[in-house]
Amino acid sequence: MNDQSLYRFALPVGIRSRAVAIALIAASSALLPASAVNLALDATVKASSEMKDGAAAKAIDGVESDASRWLAAPTDKVPWIEITLKQRSDLTAVDVYSGWKEESVLADFNVEVQSSGQWKSPEGGKVRQNSDPVRRVPISATGVEKVRVSLPSGGPGRIREIALYRSRDEAIRSGVKSTMASARIDRKSNLIALNQVGFQTAWPKRFTAPLTPDGTPFSVRSAKGGEPLFQGTITGNIGDFSAFRPAESDQEYVVEIKGGGLRDGVSDPFWVRNNLMKGRFWQPAVDFLIDARSVVGTHASAFGGCPWRDGTYYDAIIPALVLMQLSDPARTAAMPRQIDWEADKRRVLAPEFKYWAGDPGGKGVLEIARKYYQEIEPPRADAPDVVKLIHWGAGFYLVNPATQDPMGDPAGRRVHAQTMEQVAYVVWAWPVLKQWLPESFYNRCKALCFANWGPALEVDPLSDPSKYLPETSLESGNIMGGDLNPYKGRHAPGHSIVPNLLMYEVAKRDNRQDASKYLDAAVAQAAWVIKTIDWNDPRSTKGQRMSEHRTIPNLVWLLKNYPDKAPAGLKEKISAWADVAIRRSDNLWDYRRYDEDRNWALPKLSDIGNLVSFPACALSAAWVIDDPKVKLRLEEIAVAQADAAFGRNPRLAASPHKPEMGFTGIEYGWPRGHQENICARLELCRGSISSGPGTEMYPFNPDGAYRHAEGWVCYGAAWGISLSYMSAYPSGNLPKP
């Protein structure tokens, strides 16, 4: 391989780290040929200073590696590197590769160009708060003689390579895009976007080949090489190998595409396992909630003032944990025990314990945490971590049931109905939890729910579409906070249905005379959804963001468990939702769009929570739909949304920004992370799910703008709910205590 640029797009088979691949290839590859369109290769260079092993010439030698980079002298206060072109040229893009081991990237740098002896800073030439190890700076300059990259804040430089392109088409063909993740996107190759972790053996297995013509053959083979184990053809830019059901093993596989007038393409390696979702995703999901605990997690703060940092009354974390525990108690019992309740108690109660005093959204939480350890009887020391997390969450609310979403929520501080709805899951699941938790804990949880349940008996007034804001409300101001109904996900239609059914079962268990009122409330709320909610209005579906799982699965729960009590038209309402979801998923990504004309993703906001909550919605709906074709399509798009979160998207990148923190099998994480060391410090948590492509990147525009990237705990809860429904599928047996 004599074209060094090729290694920017594909890893050698069996190498699951791009850094390792770069090191291996850089050690053995020749330089880029002189005929390449990167004008820097024919240029000369000088710098304000350079280290012995970091000559300026290494920044334009065509080798993108840590071993071949420019390093400025430590004493250089404003380092700069200047490239003189062989002849004057127009320029449209400057690509700057920076960092060391894909870390310590240049946060701030300036790009200037000289024409006719005059230096000027093009629009966009001042780059600030950069987090991309490969950053493209689009410019529009004619007659350029020189290009200078300078570091206004000083520093060692650490520039591995600078590439210069005269035209947009040449830049695109040359493949260096705005981030390391898309640097492997070679538009002359058969690109393959799929779930980088893998697939369940008996479930749909699909991928997207965004550039490959219809009819082009593909094959599945061992990642180690060998003959094809499955063969198929591309249709509508999609490859389907669902029929590939290998024997259970630790074998890794790849998809390979040859033909179509493009270079051969090989996918990231992946597993095919009977229980891949549990084997690869349950532990990171639990690790995330362990690390994200307020006060006692990986940061001594509590942004939001709830049990989990950046948590809210509508986060549904406790229901996610309860459903996971009921779905597979043997698996949660087999997980490693990481939470030491007694050790956490000693640490928090110690006078020298340092709580972050500057927490703007969690004032008073240290006292709440200390009361939790002093006033709430502990779980058994050998309880599974999932159970200890349930105890932590509900116990926190026992001490302090009144909370407030700090992001401008008009509802303010109070005992929210949805907080009580979370605790209801604990009371309902008591027959399973009581082996690990004290009776006093149960009695306090039950008393709290019955004493504060009144609002949950009524339809949430903010679930009414008449209260929804127009999409234009997202075009200005802080799109992370404020009213934002329904886009924030605070008031999903029907969110009280299942909690009322749970309280009905608890009341019957206790022989309460008022048991029927909870069932009646659930039925009335479902009837309201049937009458009031229009699935064709995208604000009622994907517009509910990560909270959509509190609508469709709740309707299904009522229909499956209380069919004789279900209101008229309930099954038809669920089927109508499925029809809309399927219609909006008819595209090369099997991606359930927001609407059918303008928006693929949610307007303005991060879409990742909706992707990871969708499997619970689609799989639950499939349980009550009779048409086998509709059922199969729901299975396909349920898996496809999870796949999108882990690599099947226009960025060919998985959602976790730091996949090395908790995940196994992810080659390329999300290139853009949330600003660190502010708010909830969720970048310190294992298993964090960050972001995904927005409308700007669909249908295939990997250079599109990023959306907000933050590992919100509400996303972790939604993913936990979906993992539980995946565990119960296809049997249709919903978890019961």
Side-chain angles (χ1 to χ4, degrees), residues 648-669:
R648 188 185 173 190
N649 58 60
R651 259 338 239 192
L652 278 69
S655 166
H657 176 55
K658 296 181 178 180
E660 67 276 9
M661 293 180 63
F663 290 98
T664 302
I666 294 178
E667 284 73 32
Y668 294 91

Side-chain angles (χ1 to χ4, degrees), residues 453-468:
W453 199 260
L457 294 171
E458 307 298 330
V459 171
D460 186 337
L462 291 175
S463 296
D464 194 312
S466 65
K467 304 293 179 63
Y468 291 172

Side-chain angles (χ1 to χ4, degrees), residues 698-712:
Y698 283 98
F700 187 61
N701 179 33
D703 291 325
Y706 287 104
R707 293 287 178 92
H708 184 75
E710 185 175 8
W712 197 15

Side-chain angles (χ1 to χ4, degrees), residues 421 453-460 493-505 514-530 550-551 554-559 561-562 565-568 570:
E421 291 168 16
W453 199 260
L457 294 171
E458 307 298 330
V459 171
D460 186 337
H495 64 72
S496 300
I497 292 174
V498 165
N500 271 300
L501 295 175
L502 304 185
M503 291 299 288
Y504 170 65
E505 296 298 331
D514 62 351
S516 62
K517 74 177 183 181
Y518 303 101
L519 176 60
D520 292 344
V523 172
Q525 290 167 1
W528 179 88
V529 171
I530 294 170
R550 305 183 71 187
T551 301
N554 282 14
L555 296 175
V556 172
W557 191 298
L558 173 60
L559 181 60
N561 289 294
Y562 308 88
K565 300 292 184 180
L570 180 54

Side-chain angles (χ1 to χ4, degrees), residues 239-250:
D240 190 322
F241 59 106
S242 301
F244 178 60
R245 298 188 176 188
E248 190 77 352
S249 73
D250 288 328

Side-chain angles (χ1 to χ4, degrees), residues 387-416:
V387 175
K388 289 179 180 175
L389 288 170
I390 293 169
H391 183 276
W392 164 259
F396 195 100
Y397 288 130
L398 288 176
V399 174
N400 185 67
T403 62
Q404 178 179 3
D405 180 346
M407 298 302 292
D409 183 5
R413 182 176 298 278
R414 55 175 157 154
V415 179
H416 293 275

Side-chain angles (χ1 to χ4, degrees), residues 9 93-98 105-106 109 127 130-138 165 171-172 174-185 187 650-651 670-672 697 701-706:
F9 312 121
V94 176
D95 291 337
V96 179
Y97 296 69
S98 70
V105 300
L106 290 181
F109 63 89
V127 178
N130 171 54
S131 61
D132 297 338
V134 179
R135 179 63 180 259
R136 164 155 294 169
V137 180
Y165 300 109
I172 291 174
S174 296
V176 183
K177 304 298 187 287
S178 60
T179 68
M180 194 67 76
S182 67
R184 62 190 182 130
I185 297 178
R187 292 176 180 270
R651 259 338 239 192
W670 197 245
R672 178 69 59 86
M697 293 184 184
N701 179 33
D703 291 325
Y706 287 104

Side-chain angles (χ1 to χ4, degrees), residues 248-272:
E248 190 77 352
S249 73
D250 288 328
Q251 173 78 272
E252 285 187 302
Y253 305 93
V254 294
V255 171
E256 188 172 44
I257 303 178
K258 297 181 178 181
L262 299 167
R263 296 171 181 158
D264 296 350
V266 179
S267 74
D268 298 314
F270 55 86
W271 288 285
V272 178

